[in-house]
Amino acid sequence: MNELQRTINSREIAKQVGKAHKDLMRDIRQYIGYLAESKDGLGDFGGERKVAPSEFFIESTYTSEQGKKLPCYECTKQGCEMIGNKMIGKKGVQFTAYYVQQFNQMEQHIKEEVDYSQLSPKLQMMLQLGQALAKQEMATKRIEDKVDNISEIVALNSTDWRKDARTLINKIAQLKGGFGAYQEVQTAIYEELERRASCRLSIRLTNMRGNAALNGASKSKIDKMNKLDVIAEDKKLLEIYLAVVKEFAIQHGVGDYDRP
C-alpha cells in the first residue's frame, strides 16, 4: 500500500493474484487502452464526466535486482476493482477481500490522524523534534542491520556452514518474494557450484547412497542423504559452495536487507 497516494503497486497485486507481473501489466495496458478510446468518458453508458485512466492506474517504475528501472503501475481503489471484476472464483474473492481491507485500513488511518495545526506553537515544535528523532533512530537501526547482515556474509565459514548458509539463503529468498523462493535460490546455487567444479551433484549423491547401502546403512539414513552431504565430504566443493552463497547474498542485496 502506498500511503501517500492511497494506491497498491501492480507488483504486489500480481503476487496476490498469482499472476506474472508482465501478464498483469499487459492486462492493465489493455484496460487503459479501452478507457482512452472512450473520448466522452463512459460514452454509451450514460456517463457525462470524462474518466481519466490515471483515476485507475498511475504509471510508475521500480528498480530490479539487476539495478534496471522497469515499468509498473500504482493502482487506485477503482483500478483494483477493475482488476478484481475480471477475476472469478476463489482468487477473485480473495483478492477483493485483500484490497478492500488495505484501503479500509488506509481510510481508518487518515481518520485517526490529528490536525497538528491546531496545537500550540510549543507543542508543534516538540512534535517536530520527536519526529526528527524517530527518523534518526530508524536510520541508525537500518545502518546497524546492514552491518549485521554484511557481518553474517563475511562470517560464513566451514565451522557451522549449513546453518549459516541456510540463514543467508532464507534472506535471499525473502528478497526474491518470500520463503517460497528458497528452493529456487538453493537450486541456482547448486547449478553455479556444479559449473565451477565441473561436477554433477546428483551423480555424486547416487554414488554416496550406493556406497552407504553396501556398507549396511539403513534405508531411512540413505533416504535422508542430500546434496549438502555430498558437499560436506569434499573440501574443494565446500569452499566453492561457501563462496557461491556469499556471492549470491551480496548480488541480491542481503547487506541492504532490513530486518522486521
Side-chain angles (χ1 to χ4, degrees):
M1 168 70 73
N2 184 320
E3 293 190 1
L4 294 178
Q5 296 179 331
R6 286 198 282 177
T7 59
I8 300 177
N9 190 274
S10 56
R11 296 170 69 206
E12 178 63 27
I13 292 176
K15 188 194 308 181
Q16 291 295 328
V17 302
K19 178 180 286 191
H21 185 240
K22 64 177 182 179
D23 294 336
L24 179 62
M25 289 285 286
R26 178 199 60 206
D27 294 343
I28 291 175
R29 290 184 180 119
Q30 188 177 56
Y31 303 153
I32 291 174
Y34 291 156
L35 291 170
E37 287 175 8
S38 179
K39 296 181 180 179
D40 298 321
L42 299 179
D44 296 337
F45 298 98
E48 297 180 356
R49 185 177 66 84
K50 186 178 178 68
V51 179
S54 59
E55 294 181 33
F56 297 80
F57 309 105
I58 303 167
E59 290 188 6
S60 186
T61 60
Y62 71 97
T63 303
S64 70
E65 294 175 355
Q66 293 74 33
K68 296 181 180 178
K69 284 217 165 187
L70 300 176
C72 63
Y73 284 97
E74 292 292 338
C75 304
T76 67
K77 188 174 182 179
Q78 291 182 97
C80 289
E81 289 172 350
M82 183 173 291
I83 294 171
N85 287 338
K86 298 293 182 181
M87 302 172 63
I88 58 175
K90 181 171 69 174
K91 283 190 176 180
V93 172
Q94 291 174 341
F95 175 62
T96 299
Y98 165 76
Y99 80 75
V100 167
Q101 183 183 54
Q102 293 294 307
F103 283 105
N104 283 347
Q105 287 177 353
M106 173 50 55
E107 290 172 4
Q108 184 62 33
H109 174 74
I110 292 173
K111 287 178 182 178
E112 293 174 354
E113 284 187 341
V114 178
D115 183 3
Y116 296 114
S117 64
Q118 302 301 314
L119 299 176
S120 67
K122 183 177 180 180
L123 286 176
Q124 289 187 44
M125 183 180 69
M126 291 176 65
L127 176 65
Q128 291 171 358
L129 178 60
Q131 291 175 336
L133 289 173
K135 288 181 180 178
Q136 183 178 356
E137 184 174 342
M138 290 175 65
T140 302
K141 186 178 184 305
R142 282 195 293 269
I143 292 172
E144 290 173 348
D145 286 345
K146 182 173 181 177
V147 170
D148 288 343
N149 287 321
I150 292 174
S151 297
E152 287 179 356
I153 297 172
V154 174
L156 179 60
N157 55 51
S158 58
T159 303
D160 197 7
W161 63 274
R162 293 199 192 212
K163 176 175 172 284
D164 294 341
R166 184 168 60 249
T167 298
L168 287 177
I169 294 171
N170 273 330
K171 290 186 176 182
I172 296 171
Q174 287 189 53
L175 291 168
K176 287 179 67 66
F179 286 110
Y182 183 95
Q183 192 58 50
E184 175 190 342
V185 176
Q186 182 70 83
T187 299
I189 289 173
Y190 284 151
E191 290 175 350
E192 179 60 18
L193 167 62
E194 290 177 332
R195 186 188 69 79
R196 296 187 188 185
S198 300
C199 72
R200 292 290 298 278
L201 292 175
S202 58
I203 294 176
R204 291 200 179 192
L205 178 57
T206 299
N207 293 337
M208 175 183 281
R209 287 173 171 169
N211 291 331
L214 290 174
N215 290 323
S218 65
K219 184 178 183 303
S220 60
K221 182 177 180 180
I222 293 173
D223 290 341
K224 289 179 181 178
M225 291 179 176
N226 56 43
K227 293 179 179 179
L228 291 177
D229 295 319
V230 173
I231 294 171
E233 284 200 343
D234 189 317
K235 184 177 179 181
K236 179 184 175 183
L237 282 183
L238 179 55
E239 289 176 354
I240 297 174
Y241 177 74
L242 296 180
V244 172
V245 172
K246 289 180 181 180
E247 290 175 16
F248 268 56
I250 293 170
Q251 289 171 6
H252 288 83
V254 170
D256 299 320
Y257 170 80
D258 288 336
R259 298 177 183 182

